Amino acid sequence: MKILIVYAHPYEGSFNNAILETTQSSLASSTHDYEIIDLNKEGFNPVLRKEELKIYPQGKFLDPQVGEYLKKLKAAAHLVFIFPIWWGGVPAILKGFFDKVFLKKETYEFKGLRPVPKLKNKSATVISTMNSPKLFYSLYLKSPIKQTVIKSTLKVCGVKKVKWFELSRVVSVSNKKRKKMLAKIRKYFSKL
Ligand SMILES: Cc1cc2nc3c(=O)[nH]c(=O)nc-3n(C[C@H](O)[C@H](O)[C@H](O)COP(=O)(O)O)c2cc1C
C-alpha cells in the first residue's frame, strides 16, 4: 500500500520526531511503500494568498509545491499526519497544507449545498501530541482536532476510516511512558 506521511514539527530533538522515526522504521520493515512530506524542512509556505484564492474555485494553484503535494496526496492509499497540538489545533504549517493542497475540485466539490468527496478509498492515521490531559481536551475543548481535521477535512473529502492516536501529557510523563507510546505506534504500523 502507498502511504504518505505528512509531518509538521520543526525541531529534530522533539517527541514528534521520535514518532516520525518510529513510524518510518516500522514501515521500512513492512511491504508498504511510504513517502514523507516534512513541511518545515521543505520550506512549505502555508499562506493562501489573494492571487491563489482568486483561482481556488477552479481547483487551480500558483505554488508549485502544491502541485507536487497534491500528486502525492492523490496517489496515496493511506495518509499519516504527525503533529503537536498548538493552541488546541494544528500548527499553522499543517493548517496551510489543508488550506492549499486540499483543493476544491481535487479533494471535494459542491453539488448545491452538499459537499461531494473526491478522496475516496483512502484511510488515514492522525497522531497528535499535547501536554493537556485527555479529559480537558475532550470535555472542555470538545476535541478541536476531531472537529477540524478528522470531521471537517478528512471525512468531508471522503477519507472515512481514520485512526486517531491522541497522545496526551507527553511533556510531563516519564520517559518510560513516552517509550510505551512509541511502542504502541510501532506495533500499529507493523500491523497496518
Ligand atoms: C505554540 C505552542 C502552543 C501549544 N499549545 C498547546 C495546547 O493548546 N494544548 C496542549 O496540551 N499543549 C500545547 N502545547 C504543548 C505542545 O503540544 C507539546 O509541547 C508538544 O506536543 C510536545 O511534543 P514535541 O516534544 O514533539 O514538541 C503548545 C506548545 C507550543 C510551542
Side-chain angles (χ1 to χ4, degrees):
M1 176 164 70
K2 222 172 166 65
I3 299 176
L4 178 65
I5 303 170
V6 181
Y7 175 66
H9 198 294
Y11 171 51
E12 279 168 10
S14 65
F15 186 52
N16 272 261
N17 196 251
I19 294 170
L20 176 68
E21 283 178 353
T22 301
T23 303
Q24 214 178 332
S25 72
S26 188
L27 289 175
S29 47
S30 75
T31 54
H32 300 303
D33 171 18
Y34 73 92
E35 198 169 1
I36 301 169
I37 292 178
D38 185 334
L39 292 168
N40 287 279
K41 224 180 232 172
E42 294 171 28
F44 178 63
N45 175 5
V47 180
L48 181 63
R49 292 179 294 119
K50 181 169 134 186
E51 303 75 37
E52 295 171 309
L53 188 58
K54 235 186 223 165
I55 56 174
Y56 176 90
Q58 295 127 50
K60 291 186 178 159
F61 54 87
L62 294 174
D63 183 345
Q65 235 170 354
V66 168
E68 230 180 85
Y69 291 168
L70 183 61
K71 225 168 153 183
K72 292 179 181 180
L73 178 73
K74 286 165 76 176
H78 187 84
L79 310 169
V80 179
F81 297 94
I82 302 172
F83 59 90
I85 286 179
W86 285 354
W87 294 114
V90 295
I93 204 161
L94 180 56
K95 179 60 168 59
F97 180 87
F98 291 130
D99 293 345
K100 289 175 75 176
V101 182
F102 276 58
L103 268 176
K104 193 169 181 177
K105 288 201 158 68
E106 297 285 355
T107 65
Y108 73 97
E109 267 188 305
F110 268 103
K111 274 213 170 115
L113 288 177
R114 197 169 52 88
V116 179
K118 299 201 85 174
L119 292 184
K120 285 189 179 160
N121 307 316
K122 292 189 200 303
S123 51
T125 305
V126 171
I127 307 176
S128 64
T129 67
M130 64 181 173
N131 204 35
S132 308
K134 256 186 199 172
L135 276 183
F136 171 80
Y137 195 72
S138 59
L139 292 183
Y140 182 68
L141 295 180
K142 312 285 181 216
S143 297
I145 291 303
K146 193 179 194 176
Q147 303 304 332
T148 56
V149 175
I150 299 174
K151 287 190 178 167
S152 305
T153 309
L154 296 175
K155 295 212 170 169
V156 163
C157 294
V159 184
K160 291 270 180 302
K161 203 176 153 222
V162 183
K163 164 80 180 164
W164 181 23
F165 283 95
E166 187 187 2
L167 305 180
S168 58
R169 290 205 174 277
V170 300
V171 181
S172 334
V173 294
S174 61
N175 253 337
K176 196 174 160 196
K177 280 215 167 130
R178 274 191 291 272
K179 277 188 183 151
K180 243 177 150 177
M181 293 179 196
L182 295 177
K184 216 168 142 188
I185 287 166
R186 186 174 300 112
K187 191 171 170 199
Y188 166 79
F189 281 111
S190 70
K191 290 185 172 170
L192 192 71

